[in-house]
Amino acid sequence: MNIRNPFEYVGANDLPGETILDYYIEDFNFSRFIQSTRNILLVGERGCGKSMTLLYNSFPVQRLRATRAQSTASLETVGIYVPCNTPLTHKREFQLLDDFRASVISEHHFVLTIAFSMAKTLAEVPGLLSDEEATRLRGELEFLFATTLPAGGTLFAALMQALERESLLAQRAANANKTTDVFYENTFSFPTLIVPLLRLLRSTEALATTHFTFLIDDAHDLNEFQRGALFSWIAYRDHSLFSFKIAIASVSRSTLTTASGGSILEGHDYTRIDMVQPFHNEEADFGRLAELLITRRLQKCGMAVTPDEFFPVSPQMIEQLRVSEAAVRAEALAKYGVKGKRASDYVYKYKRAHFFRSRPPTANRPEYSGFDTLVFLSTDVIRNLLVPCYWMYDKVLSMSAVATERQGGEAAFLPPPSSIPPNVQSEIILDRSQRLWDWVRNELDKTIEGCSGESARRAYQLLDNLAILFRERLLKHKSEPRANSFTISGRGDPVMKDLSDLLDILATAQLIYVRSGAAKDKGKRESYYVPNRLLWPERGLDPHGQHARVSIPAAELWAAADANQPIPFDDDDGPDAKQPRLFHED
């Protein structure tokens, strides 16, 4: 079968430029900020689209975009994509040196990576330099490097070879020295390599007014000295020549400290963009982005259907929810007397809870299906949305192939599926949910750096007790039965340090996501925690959730994690309990 699965979820770095253009959705991705001259920090979990955003705005992809539009790519802004998760930036020789020398050699390796990315990007622009400009720049580069550039080929190809040679020389010098007293002295820094290169490029006709944008991806993978250097560069006041757009995972615990020990300030040195937009309803940004993204992928495979048509809800589920909604609406009218906002809010809160509560205790888990369910299960992360879609599509293809071959047909000529049956959706969702729990239980300490066997045990017990608490709320709570996120009270408790370390591990593993929202006290904000909703189907919970958060004392959370004690449950938070206001979370 040569049918391409439209829900492939490989890293953006592995996608060709044509595919990035096909799949990238400009709306809701802040491209206008990337094209500006200001410094930008793109913050968000792995899989939320940071790399795709940077790659889309890189010059090679923008050049492809212009070609598709039968126009010429503008050189007003040239985006230079610089991946940080590379062998060059992962060199560890600096650990043998004192802090000063470690910072010097670390910055050297980093600026070589940036310079190589610059040369690679510009090498793809045909006719960029005149013969006279190429000759002049070659001479000036040879003076800068105090060596002769390789002959033959283009200037930028020669520059890439020179940079690779410089990296090799630094590596050999480090390996040859048996003590840390001898140090490689021919190191470069940002002011001594990148700035001169940019000024040389600005001296050409084509690039005389170009703004160079360094698209730094996976900055959390840099070592502490490289991050300090990067944040020092961000503190430069003059953005007329270059700016930085930096993607960094929100699970990173690195500070924004410069090499000199200072800090960069949001709004002054950079603008922060949170790539994750919590999904509240179909009109929320992430809901619209998800619909556009899946629609685009279906269209590219020749399927003229909407996401709701391709991932239909089970007819039985629709009918059962209709019955529950009618019953809850009758309760609302009896309670409030007339139709209105109070009645509609009541229906919103309780109609899905009624469905789960009305199921017999011995009933199987409900059937999880429908595009909106997939969006909620994603916990607002694009990759989490694509993964179950990929396996559902693959399952239907396999089933069709087996059936066709049994009938003597050729599986290679199967048409793509027109939809994913609800039972297949539910089967895959439950399977992926069970696999996630198994991974937490058996493999967390083997796959997450810094997670011991004891931490893995506590992580599983905390998630398990949270699932039990949310199950109790779903079946019994009087006010907010479908709340499935939480805040932490009593942060002054001595256990908070250990609990924070555990939550860091869960965040790194993307088992819990940390969000920011309005606190109970007007005008204040607080962090709240959203467990990965793919955990919930295995426990028979409703992934749709409710726009509410449960306040849990730090001591109770730690007791659940460390001693496997159930988190205390009260079926009513009381008339004086303050709850976060609906529809006002960020």
Side-chain angles (χ1 to χ4, degrees):
M1 288 184 296
N2 295 319
I3 301 175
R4 180 178 178 180
N5 192 320
F7 307 110
E8 290 176 327
Y9 53 91
V10 296
N13 310 71
D14 299 324
L15 295 175
E18 294 285 354
T19 303
I20 291 173
L21 281 179
D22 287 343
Y23 287 166
Y24 185 78
I25 306 296
E26 273 203 270
D27 292 337
F28 317 113
N29 280 285
F30 314 104
S31 289
R32 62 190 180 278
F33 291 98
I34 305 298
Q35 294 295 330
S36 72
T37 60
R38 70 184 76 177
N39 293 319
I40 303 292
L41 257 62
L42 299 175
V43 182
E45 287 88 2
R46 291 167 296 166
C48 69
K50 301 185 302 297
S51 296
M52 186 73 104
T53 297
L54 294 184
L55 282 164
Y56 176 80
N57 287 280
S58 66
F59 185 78
V61 175
Q62 288 299 302
R63 182 166 169 258
L64 279 174
R65 183 186 179 207
T67 301
R68 283 189 178 185
Q70 299 182 336
S71 64
T72 302
S74 170
L75 292 173
E76 180 180 351
T77 300
V78 171
I80 299 165
Y81 179 74
V82 184
C84 293
N85 190 8
T86 66
L88 194 57
T89 51
H90 278 284
K91 290 181 179 294
R92 290 290 176 257
E93 289 84 355
F94 74 92
Q95 294 176 337
L96 301 173
L97 305 172
D98 60 76
D99 283 355
F100 173 74
R101 293 181 177 184
S103 66
V104 171
I105 197 66
S106 294
E107 182 174 358
H108 176 69
H109 286 309
F110 189 22
V111 297
L112 288 179
T113 299
I114 295 174
F116 186 88
S117 298
M118 287 173 57
K120 182 180 179 182
T121 298
L122 296 173
E124 299 184 21
V125 186
L128 181 63
L129 303 177
S130 66
D131 292 341
E132 180 182 348
E133 287 174 333
T135 301
R136 175 174 59 82
L137 260 62
R138 177 179 286 270
E140 292 177 337
L141 288 172
E142 288 178 344
F143 179 79
L144 175 65
F145 284 99
T147 188
T148 301
L149 293 182
T154 66
L155 173 64
F156 294 115
L159 177 57
M160 284 190 284
Q161 288 180 279
L163 291 165
E164 288 180 319
R165 179 176 60 190
E166 176 56 40
S167 175
L168 178 61
L169 291 174
Q171 182 69 47
R172 285 177 175 174
N175 293 337
N177 294 328
K178 303 304 181 183
T179 70
T180 59
D181 296 331
V182 181
F183 184 67
Y184 182 67
E185 296 181 347
N186 299 324
T187 55
F188 285 106
S189 65
F190 191 86
T192 61
L193 179 60
I194 304 302
V195 173
L197 279 176
L198 293 177
R199 287 175 176 161
L200 284 177
L201 294 171
R202 273 285 194 92
S203 71
T204 65
E205 182 179 357
L207 301 172
T209 60
T210 296
H211 178 84
F212 295 91
T213 299
F214 294 110
L215 310 170
I216 311 294
D217 198 8
D218 294 324
H220 47 271
D221 284 326
L222 297 170
N223 68 44
E224 59 181 302
F225 301 108
Q226 291 166 337
R227 285 195 300 269
L230 176 59
F231 297 144
S232 295
W233 308 335
I234 287 181
Y236 289 174
R237 293 291 177 263
D238 185 2
H239 299 162
S240 59
L241 182 59
F242 63 87
S243 62
F244 293 93
K245 322 299 178 187
I246 300 170
I248 187 166
S250 58
V251 297
S252 172
R253 294 294 174 255
S254 62
T255 61
L256 302 181
T257 304
T258 66
S260 61
S263 296
I264 55 175
L265 301 176
E266 183 176 0
H268 189 259
D269 299 305
Y270 69 93
T271 299
R272 172 185 170 126
I273 294 176
D274 291 311
M275 293 293 289
V276 175
Q277 299 295 320
F279 178 67
H280 299 154
N281 53 56
E282 291 78 1
E283 298 304 316
D285 276 358
F286 185 80
R288 289 183 287 167
L289 172 61
E291 183 178 7
L292 287 170
L293 186 148
I294 298 301
T295 299
R296 175 79 60 85
R297 288 178 175 245
L298 292 172
Q299 289 173 344
K300 290 298 177 182
C301 291
M303 289 176 274
V305 292
T306 67
D308 288 323
E309 292 169 335
F310 195 75
F311 296 102
V313 182
S314 160
Q316 293 84 358
M317 183 75 165
I318 292 175
E319 176 58 23
Q320 291 167 347
L321 285 174
R322 187 194 64 78
V323 171
S324 289
E325 181 174 355
V328 171
R329 193 172 300 280
E331 292 176 10
L333 292 176
K335 187 177 182 67
Y336 299 111
V338 294
K339 293 182 179 180
K341 187 177 186 308
R342 296 183 70 186
S344 61
D345 285 349
Y346 186 90
V347 173
Y348 156 77
K349 276 188 178 184
Y350 296 107
K351 66 178 181 181
R352 292 187 66 89
H354 182 278
F355 162 75
F356 283 89
R357 291 175 176 182
S358 61
R359 293 172 56 79
T362 57
N364 294 328
R365 283 166 298 192
E367 191 169 76
Y368 295 94
S369 61
F371 178 65
D372 61 337
T373 294
L374 287 169
V375 175
F376 275 102
L377 281 169
S378 74
T379 326
D380 322 317
V381 176
I382 292 172
R383 188 177 298 165
N384 292 354
L385 172 65
L386 294 175
V387 170
C389 295
Y390 177 92
W391 289 106
M392 291 172 187
Y393 191 93
D394 185 73
K395 176 74 173 180
V396 173
L397 277 183
S398 297
M399 293 167 57
S400 298
V402 170
T404 300
E405 289 173 353
R406 284 177 178 173
Q407 296 173 6
E410 289 287 341
F413 301 103
L414 283 174
S418 58
S419 67
I420 307 297
N423 65 309
V424 173
Q425 296 179 51
S426 189
E427 178 185 343
I428 295 298
I429 288 171
L430 289 169
D431 175 69
R432 304 311 297 182
S433 183
Q434 180 182 342
R435 286 171 182 263
L436 188 58
W437 279 106
D438 290 343
W439 179 69
V440 179
R441 184 187 297 108
N442 303 320
E443 300 179 40
L444 191 63
D445 57 330
K446 303 176 181 65
T447 51
I448 300 299
E449 184 178 359
C451 180
S452 64
E454 186 70 3
S455 294
R457 177 187 67 83
R458 288 169 174 158
Y460 176 81
Q461 291 180 170
L462 177 57
L463 292 173
D464 183 50
N465 281 296
L466 284 169
I468 292 171
L469 172 66
F470 293 141
R471 177 73 178 174
E472 289 288 302
R473 292 183 68 92
L474 180 63
L475 299 180
K476 301 175 184 177
H477 200 269
K478 297 176 181 178
S479 176
E480 293 172 334
R482 294 187 294 117
N484 57 18
S485 60
F486 64 95
T487 58
I488 301 176
S489 60
R491 286 178 171 269
D493 194 292
V495 303
M496 192 62 209
K497 182 182 182 304
D498 290 331
L499 180 60
S500 294
D501 292 341
L502 181 61
L503 291 172
D504 285 350
I505 291 173
L506 288 166
T508 301
Q510 293 191 291
L511 293 166
I512 280 182
Y513 297 97
V514 184
R515 305 282 191 255
S516 175
K520 298 174 184 177
D521 297 329
K522 186 177 294 186
K524 294 185 178 180
R525 300 184 66 78
E526 66 181 350
S527 294
Y528 65 99
Y529 302 84
V530 185
N532 189 325
R533 293 192 188 105
L534 189 58
L535 293 164
W536 299 152
E538 165 69 11
R539 300 306 179 91
L541 285 162
D542 182 10
H544 285 234
Q546 181 177 339
H547 313 331
R549 307 190 288 272
V550 183
S551 179
I552 307 175
E556 293 179 3
L557 287 168
W558 182 248
D562 187 48
N564 201 24
Q565 293 182 10
I567 300 171
F569 167 72
D570 187 343
D571 65 1
D572 192 346
D573 294 319
D576 299 323
K578 295 181 180 179
Q579 295 292 338
R581 295 170 59 195
L582 298 184
F583 312 114
H584 285 273
E585 294 177 340
D586 286 349

